[in-house]
Amino acid sequence: MIIKKKMTTLLIIIGLLILIIVTIDVLVTTLTVGGGGPITSRFSSWIWWVVLKIHHQKSSHRLLSTTGLVLLSGIALAWFVLTWVGWTFIFCAENSAVVNASSKIPADTWERIYFVGYTISTLGMGDYQAQGRIWQIATAISSASGFFLVTLSIAYLLPIVSAASEKRAFATYISSLGGTADEILIRAWNGQDFGDLSSHLSSLTPTLTQQGEKHLAYPILHYFHSVERARSLALSLIALDEALTLLQYGIPDKYQPDPTSLGAARRASAAFLKTLKSAYLEPASYNPQLPSLELLRSKGIPTVSDAEFFKNTKIITKRRRLLLALAENDGWTWDAICSSLTTNRASSLDDETLIDDVTLH
């Protein structure tokens, strides 16, 4: 008798612990703006790490592009399965907790699993029923928890699909200005100054800020990969940030765009980089290659000396290492964004490129 009571208590405790952990994860993930819950964040980060390992062994951007959708579906499925398991432990604690609706014979383990499954999915089959007031109340609570789980899951999934589309659109906008840092500046230079680049920076800033907030609220967005370089947000953000670095530290003050738009865009980019912590990303262990000033000089764009540029950019070492970590976490290398001499990242958007030609990797 004592052993039976201990077993009953143990099963209830295990079930409640699972339900508490899942509930906290669901609420933190869906109802807060500070990132995913403890299960969701670590589960996503671990799966993405495994997929990246496979990608590094055999380059497969298609695999990376499907992982985001799989993760999104997997999170919702994991919530449901864990909730199912938690309530199953609870309803297995008492022999008479669940009985056959007609014969009143206590249900076996598989029948209890079945009972919990249709209860939390709110199907209400009625083949089996809870026996006793306590278990009837537990059934009502489990049904309510299943309803809220489904509701919150849908409320979480739909905005992410929309945000992933906006993410690709924003990346394409940046790519239309230039595929790499030097190309952005070269395309903007009109022989005297950088023309309307300030207007573009002013337009980019609020969207970049929104992207940062969405990636903070939905860290899983970091795992939505685009096989086309022109639509990769990671590469576009790196190109933009490196272009801002060239403007601020490599171009003499009198030729720089409006300082208000330049500074606002740079701060918005820094705010986005801070969201990388939600994806458990740390700065890379080495410095990426600096963009070349020689490419700008060859197009008649005035620059500071190489020595001055190198000295000025020492204060942003951590920032640029974060950019490198961003590229590598998205399955790319620094060569994919380094220079217009080594990559044609946005050439698929040019007039001379056929509309149905898509440059992948």
Side-chain angles (χ1 to χ4, degrees), residues 187-266:
R187 283 176 174 267
W189 182 252
N190 60 17
Q192 296 180 334
D193 54 37
F194 290 99
D196 292 331
L197 183 58
S198 293
S199 299
H200 283 293
L201 294 180
S202 297
S203 299
L204 286 168
T205 298
T207 309
L208 180 53
T209 302
Q210 291 173 3
Q211 283 295 318
E213 289 302 310
K214 287 181 178 180
H215 278 73
L216 184 60
Y218 308 119
I220 195 173
L221 285 174
H222 286 290
Y223 309 124
F224 276 78
H225 177 84
S226 175
V227 296
E228 187 178 356
R229 294 184 180 190
R231 287 179 168 81
S232 168
L233 182 61
L235 296 182
S236 289
L237 283 175
I238 294 169
L240 176 62
D241 198 87
E242 289 286 89
L244 297 177
T245 293
L246 283 172
L247 286 170
Q248 184 162 345
Y249 298 109
I251 305 297
D253 292 346
K254 66 178 181 179
Y255 296 105
Q256 291 181 6
D258 174 54
T260 302
S261 59
L262 176 58
R266 193 155 183 81

Side-chain angles (χ1 to χ4, degrees), residues 29-213:
T29 302
T30 60
L31 299 181
T32 68
V33 295
I39 298 176
T40 299
S41 296
R42 286 166 176 78
F43 171 78
S44 301
S45 178
W46 183 80
I47 293 295
W48 187 254
W49 179 84
V50 172
V51 174
L52 275 179
K53 287 291 184 181
I54 298 173
H55 170 69
H56 291 153
Q57 294 295 323
K58 184 179 180 181
S59 181
S60 177
H61 286 273
R62 291 291 181 186
L63 174 62
L64 292 176
S65 67
T66 59
T67 301
L69 179 60
V70 172
L71 280 174
L72 191 59
S73 304
I75 288 171
L77 180 61
W79 287 340
F80 186 82
V81 170
L82 288 173
T83 301
W84 194 345
V85 171
W87 280 112
T88 298
F89 271 108
I90 291 175
F91 280 101
C92 285
E94 178 69 40
N95 183 54
S96 60
V98 180
V99 299
N100 187 289
S102 56
S103 66
K104 305 303 180 182
I105 298 175
D108 61 26
T109 301
W110 286 108
E111 289 167 342
R112 291 168 196 261
I113 294 173
Y114 166 66
F115 169 78
V116 171
Y118 73 65
T119 299
I120 64 174
S121 60
T122 66
L123 294 177
M125 295 293 196
D127 304 37
Y128 296 88
Q129 63 184 31
Q131 176 118 323
R133 293 181 179 179
I134 293 178
W135 295 109
Q136 288 171 349
I137 294 173
T139 301
I141 295 174
S142 65
S143 180
S145 70
F147 173 77
F148 283 110
L149 175 63
V150 172
T151 302
L152 290 175
S153 295
I154 294 174
Y156 176 71
L157 298 180
L158 294 181
I160 291 178
V161 174
S162 176
S165 178
E166 294 173 5
K167 172 180 175 177
R168 288 167 57 89
F170 182 57
T172 305
Y173 177 19
I174 298 176
S175 297
S176 69
L177 299 178
T180 61
D182 55 274
E183 187 181 2
I184 291 175
L185 268 58
I186 290 171
R187 283 176 174 267
W189 182 252
N190 60 17
Q192 296 180 334
D193 54 37
F194 290 99
D196 292 331
L197 183 58
S198 293
S199 299
H200 283 293
L201 294 180
S202 297
S203 299
L204 286 168
T205 298
T207 309
L208 180 53
T209 302
Q210 291 173 3
Q211 283 295 318
E213 289 302 310

Side-chain angles (χ1 to χ4, degrees), residues 312-323:
N312 292 342
T313 53
K314 282 185 177 180
I315 63 173
I316 56 170
T317 296
K318 183 177 180 180
R319 182 192 188 109
R320 299 190 69 251
R321 288 187 176 188
L322 271 174
L323 293 175

Side-chain angles (χ1 to χ4, degrees), residues 244-315:
L244 297 177
T245 293
L246 283 172
L247 286 170
Q248 184 162 345
Y249 298 109
I251 305 297
D253 292 346
K254 66 178 181 179
Y255 296 105
Q256 291 181 6
D258 174 54
T260 302
S261 59
L262 176 58
R266 193 155 183 81
R267 288 189 176 93
S269 182
F272 181 90
L273 291 178
K274 289 184 178 180
T275 69
L276 298 183
K277 291 183 179 179
S278 64
Y280 297 99
L281 275 184
E282 296 294 335
S285 58
Y286 62 96
N287 298 330
Q289 178 183 344
L290 279 169
S292 173
L293 296 180
E294 193 58 41
L295 295 172
L296 303 183
R297 295 177 188 133
S298 66
K299 300 297 181 180
I301 301 176
T303 69
V304 301
S305 66
D306 289 338
E308 184 178 351
F309 181 55
F310 179 77
K311 178 182 177 182
N312 292 342
T313 53
K314 282 185 177 180
I315 63 173

